[in-house]
């Protein structure tokens, strides 16, 4: 998929660019947006003609379903620029697939490939200069869809809006990350929408995360809703544990997001000869490993942060500091993954797509 043809999309260029006003060396994640956005509405049972237009606010009726019943989904992706000034995407087909899986779970219409991927290629061609060279510089991509149909009856909307907005980014997290293992709150439940990238999944995390922040911790490692004995995700990321020389991560389920970075880390670990097991890890198992010294690393994995090492965790008011180690598996895998994304290393998996 290269792009949709010009007669299949309306393009309205911004009269001027704000790019020269941006300090690209000091970016707060997700606060600055590029000059253009893509918008496409679903009405009368079909998708309308997409438009790329200047980034701007838009009006919605106060009774729009998104405000009342939370029909809203999103994805997180990145664009990278190599040393030859070419722009690349990383596994965009996986984000497209997952977006439509989320849409289906939320009773929303699936977005056609030519609108999602084709429109993405087209807007990235326009905003190419916003993608800066250099490892660590990216253009964060936020495709999302909201219910814009009106009325407060509790039923799915009949009208939707699909959009893509772009934000130049550097590192998502900074500083050391300490976590609390959840004993009461849950991120998701069996039969729920935990496997969808639905907006409500994230807002439900804000209160327990605030409680953790008040205690001096940055994130929560979520546990299963039924017993709180199985470790599932870390904050907004999938989570990995290294016990001795084996990596562990929980299997995906209807509670756990099928992370693109997660599956890429698994494939890279297998290629590098690292022993990796996809199975449930028990809280008791982690605590015991921390006590006997066999727990070497914990790290989160996701699009925004890529790989984020965790320096310690708290459980039942007992804090366990992880050892300072050389030859970190987390950092090795992060380096391998980002080298592929920035075209500094051969992509033997066929993950990267040129714009």
């Amino acid at each position: 998929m290269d792009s949709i043809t010009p007669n299949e999309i309306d393009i309205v260029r911004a009269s001027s660019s704000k790019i020269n006003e941006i300090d690209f060396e000091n970016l707060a994640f997700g606060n600055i947006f590029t000059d253009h956005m893509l918008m496409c509405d679903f009405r009368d049972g079909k998708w309308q003609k997409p438009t790329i237009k200047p980034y701007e606010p838009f009006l919605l009726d106060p009774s729009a379903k998104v405000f009342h019943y939370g029909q809203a989904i999103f994805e997180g992706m990145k664009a990278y620029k190599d040393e030859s000034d070419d722009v690349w995407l990383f596994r965009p087909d996986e984000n497209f697939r997952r977006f439509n899986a989320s849409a289906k779970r939320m009773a929303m219409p699936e977005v056609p490939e030519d609108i999602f991927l084709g429109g993405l290629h087209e807007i990235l061609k326009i905003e190419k200069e916003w993608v800066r060279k250099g490892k660590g510089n990216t253009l964060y991509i936020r495709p999302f869809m909201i219910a814009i149909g009106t009325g407060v009856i509790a039923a799915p909307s009949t009208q939707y809006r699909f959009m893509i907005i772009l934000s130049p980014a550097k590192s998502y997290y900074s500083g050391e990350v300490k976590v609390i293992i959840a004993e009461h709150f849950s991120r998701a439940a069996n039969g729920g929408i935990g496997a969808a990238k639905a907006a409500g999944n994230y807002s439900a995390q804000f209160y327990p995360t605030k409680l953790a922040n008040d205690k001096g911790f940055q994130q929560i490692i979520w546990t299963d809703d039924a017993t709180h004995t199985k470790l599932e995700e870390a904050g907004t990321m999938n989570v990995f544990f290294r016990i001795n020389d084996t990596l562990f991560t929980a299997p995906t389920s209807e509670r756990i997001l099928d992370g693109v970075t997660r599956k890429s880390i698994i494939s890279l670990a297998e290629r590098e000869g690292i022993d990796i097991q996809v199975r449930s890890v028990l809280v008791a198992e982690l605590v015991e490993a921390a006590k006997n010294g066999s727990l070497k690393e914990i790290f989160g994995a996701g699009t925004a942060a890529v790989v984020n090492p965790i320096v310690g965790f708290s459980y039942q008011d007992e804090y366990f500091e992880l050892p300072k180690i050389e030859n970190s598996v987390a950092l090795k895998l992060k380096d391998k993954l980002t080298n592929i994304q920035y075209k500094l290393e051969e992509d033997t998996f066929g993950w990267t797509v040129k714009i």
Side-chain angles (χ1 to χ4, degrees):
M1 170 62 65
D2 292 326
S3 65
I4 48 184
T5 59
N7 65 345
E8 294 174 318
I9 188 167
D10 289 329
I11 299 176
V12 180
R13 295 270 188 165
S15 59
S16 62
S17 176
K18 57 181 179 285
I19 192 168
N20 292 328
E21 303 169 12
I22 307 304
D23 181 358
F24 283 87
E25 296 305 312
N26 295 285
L27 293 168
F29 186 86
N31 282 355
I32 303 295
F33 296 92
T34 65
D35 297 316
H36 298 87
M37 62 186 188
L38 181 141
M39 179 184 294
C40 187
D41 286 354
F42 180 90
R43 298 192 305 270
D44 302 321
K46 61 182 180 181
W47 287 99
Q48 308 299 304
K49 191 175 184 180
T51 300
I52 294 174
K53 59 189 295 187
Y55 186 95
E56 62 184 2
F58 56 84
L59 294 174
L60 286 180
D61 191 285
S63 71
K65 299 269 187 173
V66 64
F67 299 138
H68 302 272
Y69 302 111
Q71 275 188 293
I73 61 172
F74 68 95
E75 271 297 323
M77 311 166 64
K78 285 180 178 177
Y80 310 82
K81 182 172 281 185
D82 66 18
E83 290 304 309
S84 301
D85 283 329
D86 291 320
V87 176
W88 298 82
L89 292 170
F90 181 74
R91 308 189 76 174
D93 55 321
E94 290 288 344
N95 295 99
F96 170 65
R97 176 198 59 77
R98 190 173 63 182
F99 188 87
N100 278 336
S102 297
K104 183 176 181 179
R105 179 62 182 85
M106 298 296 290
M108 304 170 84
E110 296 184 28
V111 178
E113 182 178 1
D114 60 344
I115 294 175
F116 188 106
L117 293 178
L120 176 56
H121 277 246
E122 200 65 35
I123 193 170
L124 284 174
K125 289 177 184 178
I126 293 172
E127 304 288 52
K128 180 178 180 180
E129 295 307 310
W130 286 84
V131 193
R132 294 301 170 106
K133 285 193 293 189
K135 203 169 181 182
N137 296 317
T138 63
L139 186 64
Y140 184 76
I141 301 164
R142 174 52 63 92
F144 66 98
M145 178 164 52
I146 58 174
I148 61 171
T150 58
V152 295
I153 186 172
S157 178
T158 58
Q159 298 181 40
Y160 297 88
R161 177 161 293 166
F162 170 71
M163 299 190 66
I164 299 176
I165 56 177
L166 310 170
S167 177
K170 293 182 82 70
S171 176
Y172 185 61
Y173 293 110
S174 60
E176 293 187 340
V177 175
K178 299 179 181 181
V179 299
I180 290 179
I181 294 178
E183 298 178 56
H184 172 70
F185 294 104
S186 299
R187 177 189 173 273
N190 285 328
I193 59 172
K197 280 192 76 74
N201 284 342
Y202 295 79
S203 59
Q205 297 181 39
F206 293 160
Y207 175 67
T209 302
K210 179 184 180 299
L211 296 180
N213 295 161
D214 290 344
K215 293 181 178 180
F217 296 87
Q218 287 70 46
Q219 287 291 352
I220 296 172
I221 292 184
W222 303 102
T223 50
D224 68 290
D225 64 300
T227 67
H228 293 291
T229 60
K230 298 175 183 178
L231 299 158
E232 299 204 323
E233 293 195 6
T236 58
M237 301 177 287
N238 295 113
V239 64
F240 289 77
F241 309 94
R242 176 187 166 197
I243 299 176
N244 289 320
D245 290 324
T246 300
L247 272 185
F248 298 90
T249 192
T252 56
S253 68
E254 56 189 359
R255 298 187 310 273
I256 298 177
L257 190 71
D258 185 14
V260 178
T261 305
R262 171 191 174 276
K263 62 178 63 177
S264 303
I265 290 290
I266 291 170
S267 295
L268 278 171
E270 292 171 342
R271 189 191 73 177
E272 297 298 311
I274 298 168
D275 182 24
I276 184 162
Q277 296 185 25
V278 179
R279 68 163 175 83
S280 294
V281 178
L282 300 178
V283 176
E285 187 179 357
L286 189 73
V287 170
E288 177 58 28
K291 288 180 176 178
N292 66 30
S294 60
L295 177 62
K296 306 301 183 185
E297 296 181 78
I298 305 175
F299 61 93
T303 297
V306 187
V307 167
N308 204 88
I310 292 168
V311 301
F313 71 91
S314 175
Y315 179 64
Q316 293 184 343
D317 295 324
E318 186 174 4
Y319 180 70
F320 300 90
E321 186 83 17
L322 271 68
K324 306 291 185 183
I325 61 170
E326 296 181 1
N327 303 316
S328 163
V329 168
L331 296 182
K332 175 183 178 179
L333 291 172
K334 179 178 183 178
D335 192 53
K336 291 286 184 182
L337 182 57
T338 53
N339 280 348
I340 291 173
Q341 292 169 333
Y342 288 93
K343 307 302 287 184
L344 298 173
E345 188 173 310
E346 183 184 1
D347 175 13
T348 60
F349 298 98
W351 287 338
T352 51
V353 177
K354 187 176 180 180
I355 295 298

